[in-house]
Amino acid sequence: MASIELDIWRGEWGLASIDLECLKVLTYMKFIGVPVRVREANNPFFTPKGRLPVMRDGRKLLTNFEEVVEHLKSLHYSTDVHLNTKQAAEASAFTQYLGEKLYPAYQYAWWVDEKNYCDLTRPTYAKALSIPFNFYYPSRYQNAAKEMIDALYGEHTDLREIERTLYSEAEKCLKTLSDRLGESEYFFGNRPSSFDATVFAYLAPLVKAPFPNPTLSNFVKGIANLTRFVARINQKNFRHVTDEYNKQNAKKQSTGTQSEREAANFPNQTRNKILAALFAAIAMTGYAVANGMFQDLKDFEHSREYNEMFENDEDDN
C-alpha cells in the first residue's frame, strides 16, 4: 500500500480540525489505525472541489467521507465489520437522518447566522487560510450554505422562522441520538463504527467552539451522554491535541494573571511615586529653611532696594 496522505483544515479549541468533513475522515482513520500522514492545509485552491479534506493514496484522490470509507474497506481497513445486517441498516438510516435534520442546522449555525459567521466562523477559517484566499473562501462557503437553506425553505422566508424550525428539528434529532446511545460507549456495541465517527464530527465542534450565538451548541451541551461521548473519543484518539491545547491555554492564563497582577499593582506604584515626590519636596523645603534662604528673603524685604521699588511705583502713579 502506498503511503496515504490526508490534507485537512487546521485544528482549534482542542479539536484536531475545525471542519466537520475533515473530522469525519480523520476520526475514522484513527478508529481503524491506518497509517496516514496528516497535513494541515492552508490553500484549497488546487483541490478538486475547492474544499478539504483530500486523501491521496498513490494516484487515487478522494474528497469525501463515503469515498474514503469504501477505499479503505477495499484495503481491508474497516470499523464496520462487527455490525450485523440490522445494525448496518440502522446506522445507514441514522446517517441519513443526521443529514436531513442536523446538517442544515449545523450549516446555519456556522455560516448563515451573521453573529456566528462574523465573530467566529470567518475569522477562524481566515486564520487557517493563506493570503489572498482568506478573503475569498469564507464568503464562498457562506454563500453555498445560504443557497442550501434557501433551497430547503425558500429564498424569501423569514430568517428567524427558518432558524426556529431548523433548531427545533435539530433538537429532536439530538434527543433521538441520545436515546439510541443510552449509557453505551458507542452506538453499536463496544467498538466504534463509521457512524460514531460521523456523530463525533458533528458534535465535537458544537461542544468546543465558542459560538457567540450558542443555541445549537447549548442543545448538545445540555445532553450529558452526548457530551461524554465527545469527551471519550477526543481523549482516546486526539489526546495529544487536547493536551497541547490545555498547555497553551494554561500558558495564556498564566500570562494574563501576570498582566492582571501588574495592573493591580499600578495604582500602588503610582501612589508610592507621588508620596516619594511630596516627601522630597518637604525635605528640600526644610533644607532651605535650615540654610537661611527664607531669612535672606526677609532681609531683602526690609532693604533699601525693596522700599525704593515700591516708592518708584507710587511716583509713577
Side-chain angles (χ1 to χ4, degrees), residues 45 50 117 129-130 132-143:
F45 184 76
Y117 175 73
L129 286 156
S130 58
F133 302 102
N134 55 348
F135 294 102
Y136 170 67
Y137 278 104
S139 59
R140 175 184 168 180
Y141 299 153
Q142 184 192 43
N143 289 336

Short mmCIF file of all heavy atoms in Angstrom, two decimals, residues 45 50 117 129-130 132-143:
data_model
loop_
_atom_site.label_atom_id
_atom_site.label_comp_id
_atom_site.label_asym_id
_atom_site.label_seq_id
_atom_site.Cartn_x
_atom_site.Cartn_y
_atom_site.Cartn_z
N PHE A 45 -7.24 25.81 -3.03
CA PHE A 45 -7.42 26.22 -4.43
C PHE A 45 -7.16 25.09 -5.41
O PHE A 45 -7.85 24.94 -6.41
CB PHE A 45 -6.48 27.40 -4.73
CG PHE A 45 -6.66 27.96 -6.12
CD1 PHE A 45 -7.74 28.77 -6.43
CD2 PHE A 45 -5.74 27.68 -7.11
CE1 PHE A 45 -7.91 29.28 -7.72
CE2 PHE A 45 -5.90 28.18 -8.40
CZ PHE A 45 -6.98 28.99 -8.70
N GLY A 50 -12.30 22.52 -4.37
CA GLY A 50 -12.07 23.74 -3.60
C GLY A 50 -12.40 23.57 -2.14
O GLY A 50 -12.70 24.54 -1.44
N TYR A 117 -21.06 33.89 12.15
CA TYR A 117 -20.19 33.96 10.99
C TYR A 117 -19.15 35.07 11.13
O TYR A 117 -17.95 34.85 10.89
CB TYR A 117 -21.01 34.19 9.72
CG TYR A 117 -20.17 34.40 8.48
CD1 TYR A 117 -19.48 33.33 7.89
CD2 TYR A 117 -20.03 35.66 7.91
CE1 TYR A 117 -18.69 33.52 6.77
CE2 TYR A 117 -19.23 35.86 6.79
CZ TYR A 117 -18.57 34.79 6.22
OH TYR A 117 -17.77 34.99 5.12
N LEU A 129 -6.33 30.05 6.43
CA LEU A 129 -6.03 30.23 5.01
C LEU A 129 -4.86 31.17 4.81
O LEU A 129 -4.57 32.03 5.64
CB LEU A 129 -7.26 30.79 4.28
CG LEU A 129 -8.42 29.83 4.04
CD1 LEU A 129 -9.72 30.62 3.88
CD2 LEU A 129 -8.16 28.96 2.82
N SER A 130 -4.21 31.03 3.67
CA SER A 130 -3.14 31.96 3.30
C SER A 130 -3.73 33.12 2.50
O SER A 130 -4.81 33.01 1.92
CB SER A 130 -2.07 31.25 2.47
OG SER A 130 -2.65 30.68 1.29
N PRO A 132 -4.08 35.42 -0.72
CA PRO A 132 -5.32 36.20 -0.58
C PRO A 132 -6.56 35.33 -0.42
O PRO A 132 -7.67 35.83 -0.44
CB PRO A 132 -5.38 36.94 -1.92
CG PRO A 132 -4.83 35.94 -2.90
CD PRO A 132 -3.74 35.19 -2.15
N PHE A 133 -6.37 34.01 -0.25
CA PHE A 133 -7.51 33.10 -0.22
C PHE A 133 -8.37 33.30 1.02
O PHE A 133 -9.54 32.91 1.02
CB PHE A 133 -7.02 31.66 -0.32
CG PHE A 133 -6.22 31.40 -1.57
CD1 PHE A 133 -4.83 31.32 -1.52
CD2 PHE A 133 -6.84 31.26 -2.79
CE1 PHE A 133 -4.09 31.10 -2.67
CE2 PHE A 133 -6.11 31.04 -3.95
CZ PHE A 133 -4.73 30.96 -3.89
N ASN A 134 -7.81 33.89 2.06
CA ASN A 134 -8.60 34.13 3.27
C ASN A 134 -9.69 35.18 3.06
O ASN A 134 -10.61 35.31 3.85
CB ASN A 134 -7.70 34.52 4.45
CG ASN A 134 -6.83 35.71 4.14
OD1 ASN A 134 -6.71 36.12 2.99
ND2 ASN A 134 -6.21 36.28 5.15
N PHE A 135 -9.58 35.96 1.96
CA PHE A 135 -10.62 36.92 1.63
C PHE A 135 -11.73 36.30 0.77
O PHE A 135 -12.80 36.87 0.65
CB PHE A 135 -10.02 38.11 0.86
CG PHE A 135 -9.08 38.93 1.68
CD1 PHE A 135 -7.70 38.80 1.53
CD2 PHE A 135 -9.54 39.84 2.62
CE1 PHE A 135 -6.82 39.55 2.28
CE2 PHE A 135 -8.67 40.60 3.37
CZ PHE A 135 -7.30 40.46 3.21
N TYR A 136 -11.44 35.14 0.20
CA TYR A 136 -12.36 34.56 -0.78
C TYR A 136 -13.16 33.37 -0.25
O TYR A 136 -14.40 33.36 -0.35
CB TYR A 136 -11.56 34.12 -2.02
CG TYR A 136 -12.34 33.29 -3.00
CD1 TYR A 136 -13.40 33.82 -3.72
CD2 TYR A 136 -12.03 31.94 -3.19
CE1 TYR A 136 -14.12 33.05 -4.62
CE2 TYR A 136 -12.74 31.16 -4.09
CZ TYR A 136 -13.78 31.73 -4.80
OH TYR A 136 -14.49 30.96 -5.69
N TYR A 137 -12.49 32.39 0.33
CA TYR A 137 -13.16 31.14 0.64
C TYR A 137 -14.23 31.23 1.73
O TYR A 137 -15.29 30.59 1.59
CB TYR A 137 -12.12 30.06 0.98
CG TYR A 137 -11.53 29.43 -0.26
CD1 TYR A 137 -10.26 29.76 -0.69
CD2 TYR A 137 -12.28 28.54 -1.03
CE1 TYR A 137 -9.73 29.20 -1.84
CE2 TYR A 137 -11.76 27.98 -2.19
CZ TYR A 137 -10.48 28.32 -2.59
OH TYR A 137 -9.97 27.79 -3.74
N PRO A 138 -14.03 31.97 2.82
CA PRO A 138 -15.12 32.03 3.81
C PRO A 138 -16.44 32.52 3.22
O PRO A 138 -17.49 31.93 3.50
CB PRO A 138 -14.57 33.00 4.86
CG PRO A 138 -13.09 32.84 4.77
CD PRO A 138 -12.80 32.64 3.31
N SER A 139 -16.40 33.56 2.40
CA SER A 139 -17.64 34.05 1.79
C SER A 139 -18.20 33.06 0.78
O SER A 139 -19.42 32.93 0.63
CB SER A 139 -17.41 35.41 1.13
OG SER A 139 -16.43 35.33 0.12
N ARG A 140 -17.32 32.34 0.10
CA ARG A 140 -17.79 31.31 -0.84
C ARG A 140 -18.54 30.21 -0.10
O ARG A 140 -19.61 29.77 -0.54
CB ARG A 140 -16.60 30.72 -1.59
CG ARG A 140 -16.98 29.56 -2.51
CD ARG A 140 -15.77 28.94 -3.16
NE ARG A 140 -16.12 27.67 -3.80
CZ ARG A 140 -15.25 26.90 -4.45
NH1 ARG A 140 -13.99 27.27 -4.56
NH2 ARG A 140 -15.65 25.76 -4.99
N TYR A 141 -17.97 29.75 1.01
CA TYR A 141 -18.63 28.71 1.79
C TYR A 141 -19.94 29.21 2.40
O TYR A 141 -20.92 28.47 2.50
CB TYR A 141 -17.70 28.19 2.89
CG TYR A 141 -16.41 27.58 2.37
CD1 TYR A 141 -15.26 27.57 3.16
CD2 TYR A 141 -16.35 26.99 1.12
CE1 TYR A 141 -14.08 27.01 2.69
CE2 TYR A 141 -15.17 26.42 0.64
CZ TYR A 141 -14.04 26.44 1.42
OH TYR A 141 -12.87 25.88 0.96
N GLN A 142 -19.93 30.48 2.82
CA GLN A 142 -21.16 31.05 3.37
C GLN A 142 -22.27 31.09 2.31
O GLN A 142 -23.42 30.74 2.59
CB GLN A 142 -20.91 32.46 3.91
CG GLN A 142 -22.15 33.06 4.57
CD GLN A 142 -22.03 34.54 4.84
OE1 GLN A 142 -21.55 35.29 4.00
NE2 GLN A 142 -22.46 34.96 6.02
N ASN A 143 -21.91 31.51 1.10
CA ASN A 143 -22.91 31.57 0.03
C ASN A 143 -23.48 30.19 -0.28
O ASN A 143 -24.68 30.05 -0.55
CB ASN A 143 -22.28 32.17 -1.23
CG ASN A 143 -22.00 33.66 -1.09
OD1 ASN A 143 -22.64 34.33 -0.27
ND2 ASN A 143 -21.04 34.17 -1.84
#
